[in-house]
Amino acid sequence: MYQWRKFEFFEEKYGGKIPEDVTGEIQCCSSGRGKVVIGSSDGSVSFLDRGIKFDSGFQAHSSSVLFLQHLKQRNFLVTVGEDEQISPQQSGMCLKVFDLDKAQEESTSSSAPDCIGILRIFTNQFPEAKITSFLVLEEVPPILLIAIGLDNGCIYCVKGDIARERITRFKLQVDGVSDKRQTPITGLGFRLDGLSLLLFAVTPDSVNSFAMQAQPPRVQTLDHIGSGVNTVTMSDRSELIVGRPEAVYFYEVDGRGPCWAFEGEKKFMGWFRGYLLCVIADPKTGTNVFNVYDLRNRLIAYSLVVDKVSNMLCEWGNVILITADKSLLCVAEKDMESKLDMLFKKNLYTVAINLVQSQHADAAATANVMRKYGDHLYGKQDYDEAMSQYINTIGHLEPSFVIQKFLDAQRIYNLTNYLEKLHEKGLASKDHTTLLLNCYTKLKDVEKLNTFIRKEDGIGELKFDVETAIRVCRAANYHEHAMYVAKKAGKHEWYLKILLEDLGNYDEALQYISSLEPSQAGVTIKEYGKILIEHKPKEAIDILMRLCTEQGTSNGVYLSMLPSPVDFINVFVQHPHSLMDFLERYAEIVKDSPAQAEINNTLLELYLSKDLNFPSISLSENGLDQNFTDHSVAAAMSKTGSGKKEIADSNDTIEKDCVERQQKGLELLKIGWPSDQEQPLYDVDLAIILCEMNSFKEGLLYLYEKMKLYKEVIACYMQNHDHEGLIACCKKLGDSGKGGDPSLWADLLKYFGEIGEDCTKEVKEVLTYIERDDILPPIIVLQTLAKNPCLTLSVIKDYIARKLEQESKIIEEDRRAVEKYQETTKNMRKEIEDLRSNARIFQLSKCTACTFTLDIPAVHFMCMHSFHQRCLGDNETECPECAPEYRSVVEMKRSLEHNSKDQALFFQQVKGSKDGFSVIAEYFGKGIISKTSD
C-alpha cells in the first residue's frame, strides 16, 4: 500500500483552555467575520476574539443551543435551541435569527442582540423528531434557505425572509426510509452551480441529492453507503466529501467521484485551503490523530495526536480544534518559503515544484524552485534533466546564467535546446539568435537550421531577430537560408545584397525587384541600382521605366504620385550613356512630367558634354581590357600593327557621337522652348553655361535670340569674325518692322570701325541700312569709321553726298514753312489790332442757325456770325459755330501745359525718337518749356 510522506507544513500557533466566561458544556461552534461563536448547553452564546479571549455573550435560548451558524454576507446569527414549552402539546424547539450589528451599537457586552425572527420548528404539519444536522444557505438577501436534518430521514426546509415572516416551509424525504427503521440525516451540503441549486443529504446508508430548482424538489440517490455524524464536509469546488472507515469519498452532481484510502474510523472531517482535514481513530494505538492531507501532491502536510475532538472549525487562517475538556488548539500553515526550505534540505525538489504549482504560487517563485532543482541536477552531471528544468525558468531566469553553464562544446546539444525554447517564447535577443545559429553551423545540422528558420513558414512573424539571423547565415555561407529569412521578413535590401554581392545573380535580383510593390522596388533600386546598371543596364532601365510610367496607365495612378526619374539619377554614376538612354525613353513617353525641367537639364548636360567617358567604352567594344597600362596597349599595337588605325577609328567615333549629341541638344533647346511659352522647360542660365563651356555656338545663338539678347548674338559672330553671318544676323534681328533692334546696325558699324582691316564691302552694305532707317547722324558715322585706318573716304563719299542733299531739301522745306507761319502770324496780329481799335459793322440779314430773316431780338458775335435770340437759347455768351474750334484750342493748350509737368513722358519721347533734338525743338515751339514761373 502506498505510504504518504509526512511533512511539517503546519505548526501549532497557540492552545489552552477556553475562557471560563464560556459557561456550560459546548454543544456547537461556528466561525466567520473574525470571531468564533460557541453555543452552550445552558442556552448561552459566547464570542471569542482572535486571541481566544472572551469578547461577548448573550442568552440565546432558555435551555440549550443545539446548532448555530454565523452568516458571512450579513452579520446574522442563526441558532437552533430549546426554549420553554408554551403547552405540553407544543415543542419548545425554536429557530432564531439575531442581528449582531444592533447589539454592537448598544456598546455593552452583556446586552443581547436584537432577535429579528423566531420560528417554531415543529408543528402539526411538521412532527417533532430529533435534529441531527443543520445548515443555512444565504441566497439573495434577505432570503435564507435553512435545512434541518432529522433522525427519521426527513429534512425540514424553511425559505424566505424570517424577519418579516415571509417564509415557505416544505419537507424532503430521503428514499428508502420506512417508519420501522429510522435513518438519521448525518450530513448536509449545498452546491450552487449557476442557477441550479443542489442539496446533498447523507445518511448512514446512502448519499442523496435534491434538485431544489424543481417543484417539488427531485431526489436522486448517488450511493447506497453513507456515513455517520461529523464525517461529512464540502470542498472549495463544492464537492461532497464523505468519510468512512475504509476511505474518503468525493461526490459530484452525477455520482461518486475519486476516493482516497485512509484507514481508520473518521471522527471529524473538514476542508481548509485545498487541504483535507481528518481526525482519525488509529486502530493500532487507540489514539486520535489529526491529519492534514494534500491530495494533489499525495502527502500529509501535518499530523498530530489529539484528545477527543468535539468541534473543528477554521478562522483567522487557522484550523481550530476544540476538545471535550474545553481545550482549544490553533494550527496554522507555514509560509511557502519555510516549506520550500524544508524540502530543499531534503533534496525533494519534485515535491517542491508540485507544491508551488498546486498552491498557485506566482511564476517567479515556481521558476526559482526549478532553477534550484536544475542546479542540483547540474551538480550531479545530469545535464539533460537539468536543462529540462532550466527551460521551465525561461522568462524569469536570466538566460546568460544558463548559457554560461552549457558553453562547453560537449554540452552544445543542451545549449541548442535551450536557445530553441528561448526563441519559441519570443524572449531571445540578437545575441541569442547569433549563438543558436552558430551552434547549428558548428554542428553542421542543416536539418535543424531548416526547421528553425522555416518552421514558421506562412504563419505569423519570425520569433528571432531577423537581421542577426541573416548576418550569421551569410557569414557561414548558408546563403539560401539567409535569403529565405530576408524574403519572409520583408528585408528586401538584405535579400538583394546576398543575390548581388555574394551570389552575383543579377537576373534573379531583377526578377525579385520586379515582384515588389512599387514603393519598395523604388527604395531597393536606389540602393542597388549602380550594380544592376553596371551589369544589366537594359533590364535595369526597363524596371525603372515601369516604375516611373506604367503604373500610371495600368492602375490609374496620377503622374505626380509616381517616382520621378530624377530620383534615380545617382544610380547612373559612371554610366552616362545608360542615363541618357533612360531619360530619352522617359521623355518620349511622358510629355508633361512634373520634373520635366530637371530631366531636360540633365539631358542637356549629357548632350553638350564632350568627354562622356568614351575611351573605356570604345576600348571595351574593341575587345581590349580597360585596365591595360599604356605600355601594354603600346605593345599590343606594335604586335598587331593596327594600333594607329584603331585609335583613329576611336577618335572618329567620338567626334561623330559628339556631333550627334550636340544636334540632339539643339533640338531639345528648341522643343523645350515653344514659341507660345514665355519660359522654357529647362534652366536657361544652365543651358547658356553649358553651351559656353562646350563651345556650342548654335545653341548659344538660339538661346540669345529667344531671350532677345540681340547684342549678345552679334557678339558671338564678332568673336568668330564671321562678317557674312554678322550682316545676315543684323538683317534678321535689326528690322524694327518685325520687332527687331535697329541699333544693332550701329553696333555693327562700330565693330567695322574698330576692326583694323579693310572691310569696304561690308561697311557699304551696313551704311545702306543705317541710311534707310536713319539710325545714326552722319557725323557719328564719320567719327566711327574714322577709327579704322584701312578705310578710305570713298567708302562714305556717296553716303555723305546723299545725306547732304537730303539735309538741304529739309532746310529748304523748313524755310518755306517758317515764311508761311510768319505771314499767318502777321495777319493774325493785324486782325487783333483791328478788333481792338475799329468798330464792327454787322450786315448779315439771315440767322446763321436757322437761315431765316434776322429780326429783333438778335445777337451778333465778333466773329461776324448773327443769330436769333431764340435760336441761341440760354447760351448767349459764345458763338455756336466757332465754339468747338475755340474749345479744342483751349483744351490743346491745357494739355500741353499739363504735359510740361510730366518729365517721364518727355524723356521717353526723347529716347524713343530717332532725332531727340527735334522733340526738344517741338516742346519749345509749342511754348511748353519756354514759359518760366517761380
Side-chain angles (χ1 to χ4, degrees):
M1 186 175 180
Y2 177 78
Q3 294 294 323
W4 287 34
R5 289 181 176 178
K6 292 185 179 181
F7 297 94
E8 295 293 327
F9 289 165
F10 285 74
E11 60 184 346
E12 295 183 23
K13 280 290 185 181
Y14 42 77
K17 291 290 186 178
I18 293 177
E20 295 180 356
D21 297 292
V22 180
T23 59
E25 295 182 3
I26 297 176
Q27 297 290 327
C28 54
C29 294
S30 181
S31 63
R33 305 181 73 91
K35 292 182 180 180
V36 172
V37 188
I38 298 176
S40 302
S41 58
D42 59 359
S44 64
V45 173
S46 304
F47 294 89
L48 304 183
D49 60 14
R50 192 180 186 90
I52 314 299
K53 295 181 180 179
F54 181 80
D55 181 75
S56 61
F58 67 94
Q59 192 70 30
H61 296 271
S62 59
S63 180
S64 176
V65 180
L66 301 179
F67 298 94
L68 57 81
Q69 184 173 337
H70 196 179
L71 303 186
K72 306 290 185 184
Q73 297 182 24
R74 291 170 295 170
N75 197 13
F76 285 4
L77 180 67
V78 183
T79 63
V80 174
E82 295 183 11
D83 284 305
E84 295 180 357
Q85 290 183 328
I86 300 176
S87 63
Q89 292 80 19
Q90 191 170 10
S91 171
M93 194 68 66
C94 294
L95 182 144
K96 294 183 179 182
V97 180
F98 296 93
D99 188 347
L100 302 181
D101 287 333
K102 292 184 179 180
Q104 294 172 357
E105 291 175 0
E106 295 176 6
S107 70
T108 57
S109 61
S110 60
S111 60
D114 185 14
C115 181
I116 61 174
I118 301 176
L119 181 68
R120 295 288 178 177
I121 297 176
F122 301 118
T123 63
N124 293 333
Q125 294 180 350
F126 298 90
E128 183 176 359
K130 183 181 179 181
I131 299 176
T132 55
S133 56
F134 171 76
L135 189 61
V136 180
L137 173 67
E138 295 179 82
E139 292 191 349
V140 180
I143 305 301
L144 300 179
L145 177 57
I146 302 173
I148 302 172
L150 306 177
D151 64 351
N152 59 6
C154 290
I155 303 172
Y156 290 169
C157 296
V158 180
K159 183 177 182 179
D161 185 357
I162 297 178
R164 297 183 181 182
E165 297 184 355
R166 297 176 180 175
I167 61 174
T168 302
R169 300 184 63 168
F170 55 92
K171 180 171 61 175
L172 304 177
Q173 181 68 50
V174 176
D175 288 346
V177 177
S178 62
D179 295 337
K180 295 181 180 179
R181 183 171 176 274
Q182 299 294 326
T183 304
I185 302 297
T186 55
L188 296 171
F190 283 111
R191 178 189 177 105
L192 188 61
D193 190 5
L195 297 177
S196 62
L197 176 64
L198 203 68
L199 173 62
F200 290 109
V202 181
T203 69
D205 301 327
S206 64
V207 177
N208 307 274
S209 66
F210 293 91
M212 302 300 287
Q213 71 273 13
Q215 294 297 330
R218 185 176 61 256
V219 64
Q220 178 184 0
T221 301
L222 303 179
D223 203 347
H224 292 286
I225 304 176
S227 68
V229 180
N230 296 328
T231 59
V232 177
T233 189
M234 296 290 293
S235 71
D236 49 13
R237 296 173 56 189
S238 297
E239 299 167 302
L240 179 69
I241 306 174
V242 177
R244 302 194 185 102
E246 73 281 2
V248 174
Y249 297 88
F250 283 70
Y251 290 89
E252 294 282 353
V253 177
D254 52 353
R256 185 196 293 181
C259 69
W260 304 89
F262 306 138
E263 292 186 353
E265 182 184 356
K266 312 304 184 290
K267 298 292 186 179
F268 263 94
M269 287 183 59
W271 188 266
F272 174 73
R273 294 181 179 176
Y275 293 104
L276 176 64
L277 310 178
C278 287
V279 177
I280 303 177
D282 190 344
K284 297 178 180 179
T285 61
T287 58
N288 293 330
V289 181
F290 171 63
N291 287 336
V292 180
Y293 293 99
D294 184 348
L295 301 179
R296 181 174 298 179
N297 297 313
R298 293 176 175 267
L299 57 86
I300 299 175
Y302 186 67
S303 182
L304 177 68
V305 177
V306 296
D307 295 334
K308 182 178 181 181
V309 177
S310 60
N311 289 277
M312 183 187 342
L313 60 155
C314 302
E315 186 62 35
W316 310 307
N318 300 331
V319 179
I320 301 173
L321 300 177
I322 299 177
T323 60
D325 59 354
K326 298 183 72 172
S327 296
L328 185 143
L329 177 64
C330 287
V331 179
E333 185 178 9
K334 294 180 180 179
D335 59 80
M336 180 61 72
E337 185 176 355
S338 300
K339 292 189 285 187
L340 292 177
D341 288 341
M342 185 188 309
L343 294 173
F344 292 155
K345 290 177 182 178
K346 299 179 180 181
N347 292 332
L348 299 175
Y349 292 98
T350 55
V351 178
I353 293 172
N354 294 333
L355 183 65
V356 294
Q357 290 178 343
S358 65
Q359 297 198 0
H360 305 290
D362 59 87
T366 305
N368 185 48
V369 175
M370 293 180 175
R371 180 191 65 79
K372 290 186 176 183
Y373 189 26
D375 293 345
H376 173 71
L377 294 171
Y378 185 87
K380 295 172 62 177
Q381 298 184 353
D382 189 354
Y383 301 118
D384 293 339
E385 285 299 321
M387 179 53 74
S388 66
Q389 297 303 319
Y390 287 135
I391 287 173
N392 292 327
T393 66
I394 291 176
H396 304 282
L397 180 62
E398 176 60 38
S400 59
F401 174 82
V402 180
I403 294 171
Q404 191 66 34
K405 288 177 173 288
F406 289 86
L407 278 178
D408 189 359
Q410 295 179 353
R411 296 189 284 276
I412 192 172
Y413 291 100
N414 299 120
L415 179 59
T416 304
N417 187 23
Y418 180 79
L419 292 170
E420 287 174 346
K421 298 298 181 182
L422 204 61
H423 282 81
E424 286 179 6
K425 296 186 178 181
L427 299 174
S429 66
K430 296 180 180 180
D431 295 332
H432 299 147
T433 302
T434 303
L435 185 57
L436 177 58
L437 293 174
N438 283 330
C439 288
Y440 287 149
T441 55
K442 185 174 289 188
L443 294 171
K444 300 188 182 303
D445 195 341
V446 180
E447 184 178 351
K448 275 201 170 185
L449 183 60
N450 286 334
T451 303
F452 175 74
I453 289 178
R454 302 176 187 269
K455 66 182 177 182
E456 303 290 336
D457 199 4
I459 305 174
E461 299 180 355
L462 298 169
K463 294 184 178 180
F464 51 81
D465 185 75
V466 173
E467 293 193 6
T468 301
I470 294 172
R471 280 196 294 268
V472 174
C473 291
R474 190 183 177 201
N477 292 326
Y478 287 94
H479 296 119
E480 294 297 328
H481 297 81
M483 288 169 58
Y484 173 84
V485 175
K487 187 173 184 179
K488 184 173 182 186
K491 299 291 182 180
H492 311 299
E493 297 83 0
W494 279 102
Y495 190 88
L496 291 170
K497 186 188 288 286
I498 298 168
L499 276 177
L500 297 173
E501 297 179 6
D502 297 339
L503 304 178
N505 195 338
Y506 306 109
D507 292 328
E508 186 176 346
L510 289 166
Q511 292 178 2
Y512 184 76
I513 293 174
S514 300
S515 66
L516 297 177
E517 291 292 326
S519 58
Q520 296 173 340
V523 172
T524 54
I525 206 166
K526 283 179 184 178
E527 185 169 355
Y528 299 102
K530 294 178 183 178
I531 301 176
L532 294 172
I533 291 295
E534 181 179 356
H535 295 88
K536 295 285 183 179
K538 182 180 180 302
E539 293 80 357
I541 291 175
D542 290 341
I543 292 178
L544 286 173
M545 288 298 298
R546 286 196 295 271
L547 281 176
C548 298
T549 60
E550 290 188 5
Q551 304 169 59
T553 57
S554 61
N555 299 330
V557 181
Y558 290 107
L559 196 62
S560 60
M561 299 173 63
L562 294 177
S564 171
V566 181
D567 299 337
F568 303 102
I569 288 179
N570 64 320
V571 306
F572 291 93
V573 174
Q574 299 179 354
H575 300 283
H577 277 88
S578 298
L579 175 59
M580 188 166 60
D581 181 31
F582 169 54
L583 294 179
E584 285 176 346
R585 289 176 59 184
Y586 179 83
E588 185 178 350
I589 295 176
V590 181
K591 303 298 183 182
D592 53 352
S593 171
Q596 193 64 48
E598 291 87 345
I599 294 171
N600 289 342
N601 291 339
T602 307
L603 281 174
L604 282 174
E605 190 169 356
L606 292 169
Y607 288 153
L608 303 182
S609 175
K610 288 184 177 180
D611 48 347
L612 198 60
N613 198 20
F614 239 89
S616 62
I617 297 176
S618 62
L619 288 174
S620 63
E621 289 177 351
N622 285 287
L624 296 177
D625 191 348
Q626 299 178 24
N627 296 323
F628 277 179
T629 62
D630 294 338
H631 176 74
S632 61
V633 172
M637 290 190 295
S638 64
K639 289 181 181 180
T640 59
S642 60
K644 293 182 179 179
K645 183 177 182 301
E646 290 179 359
I647 293 176
D649 292 344
S650 175
N651 291 334
D652 292 342
T653 305
I654 293 174
E655 186 66 28
K656 181 179 178 182
D657 184 78
C658 183
V659 172
E660 290 178 358
R661 284 188 287 106
Q662 287 185 344
Q663 289 302 316
K664 287 183 179 180
L666 182 60
E667 185 179 354
L668 178 59
L669 288 174
K670 293 179 180 179
I671 295 174
W673 199 339
S675 58
D676 58 342
Q677 291 186 6
E678 293 185 3
Q679 296 296 328
L681 295 175
Y682 48 80
D683 188 341
V684 178
D685 296 333
L686 175 63
I688 292 174
I689 293 172
L690 291 173
C691 291
E692 288 181 346
M693 287 175 57
N694 296 281
S695 303
F696 185 44
K697 176 183 174 183
E698 291 84 351
L700 203 59
L701 291 174
Y702 175 79
L703 290 172
Y704 285 153
E705 185 176 340
K706 288 291 292 184
M707 298 171 69
K708 299 188 184 306
L709 300 176
Y710 300 140
K711 294 185 183 297
E712 281 75 5
V713 175
I714 64 172
C716 291
Y717 286 102
M718 290 176 182
Q719 289 176 1
N720 296 325
H721 300 284
D722 185 359
H723 297 171
E724 244 182 81
L726 262 173
I727 294 174
C729 178
C730 286
K731 287 179 182 179
K732 178 181 178 182
L733 304 178
D735 190 351
S736 60
K738 298 181 181 179
D741 183 5
S743 65
L744 296 178
W745 292 107
D747 295 334
L748 188 54
L749 185 67
K750 182 180 178 182
Y751 166 74
F752 286 131
E754 297 176 349
I755 195 172
E757 60 183 50
D758 188 8
C759 49
T760 303
K761 178 182 176 184
E762 289 84 355
V763 170
K764 287 183 178 180
E765 189 172 359
V766 171
L767 289 175
T768 303
Y769 288 98
I770 290 177
E771 182 182 1
R772 185 192 71 180
D773 296 334
D774 196 14
I775 297 172
L776 289 174
I779 187 64
I780 301 298
V781 173
L782 285 171
Q783 292 174 349
T784 302
L785 294 178
K787 297 177 182 179
N788 190 343
C790 299
L791 295 177
T792 61
L793 188 59
S794 61
V795 177
I796 58 171
K797 174 182 169 184
D798 295 338
Y799 167 75
I800 293 297
R802 287 192 300 273
K803 292 301 289 187
L804 289 174
E805 183 181 357
Q806 183 181 357
E807 292 293 332
S808 299
K809 290 180 180 179
I810 293 173
I811 291 171
E812 182 62 26
E813 289 176 359
D814 289 343
R815 187 186 62 76
R816 285 196 294 266
V818 169
E819 290 177 353
K820 179 181 176 183
Y821 289 146
Q822 287 177 345
E823 182 68 24
T824 303
T825 302
K826 182 179 179 182
N827 292 335
M828 285 183 179
R829 285 176 177 172
K830 184 179 179 181
E831 185 178 356
I832 292 170
E833 183 63 25
D834 185 51
L835 287 173
R836 287 179 177 175
S837 59
N838 299 323
R840 283 278 186 178
I841 299 174
F842 301 98
Q843 298 178 346
L844 288 177
S845 60
K846 292 184 180 182
C847 175
T848 305
C850 64
T851 70
F852 288 105
T853 303
L854 193 65
D855 54 7
I856 300 175
V859 179
H860 304 278
F861 292 96
M862 298 299 287
C863 60
M864 304 307 292
H865 292 135
S866 299
F867 299 90
H868 293 114
Q869 189 177 20
R870 63 177 178 274
C871 292
L872 291 175
D874 296 333
N875 188 12
E876 298 180 1
T877 59
E878 60 181 4
C879 174
E881 290 291 325
C882 300
E885 184 180 357
Y886 174 73
R887 284 198 205 96
S888 65
V889 173
V890 172
E891 183 64 31
M892 185 183 299
K893 182 181 179 182
R894 187 182 297 113
S895 175
L896 291 173
E897 290 177 352
H898 176 73
N899 290 339
S900 67
K901 301 177 183 178
D902 190 351
Q903 298 180 9
L905 178 63
F906 170 72
F907 287 110
Q908 181 181 355
Q909 290 179 356
V910 172
K911 291 180 180 178
S913 174
K914 295 180 181 179
D915 187 4
F917 181 77
S918 62
V919 177
I920 298 173
E922 183 183 0
Y923 268 70
F924 272 103
K926 293 179 180 179
I928 297 176
I929 59 177
S930 61
K931 182 179 179 180
T932 60
S933 61
D934 293 337

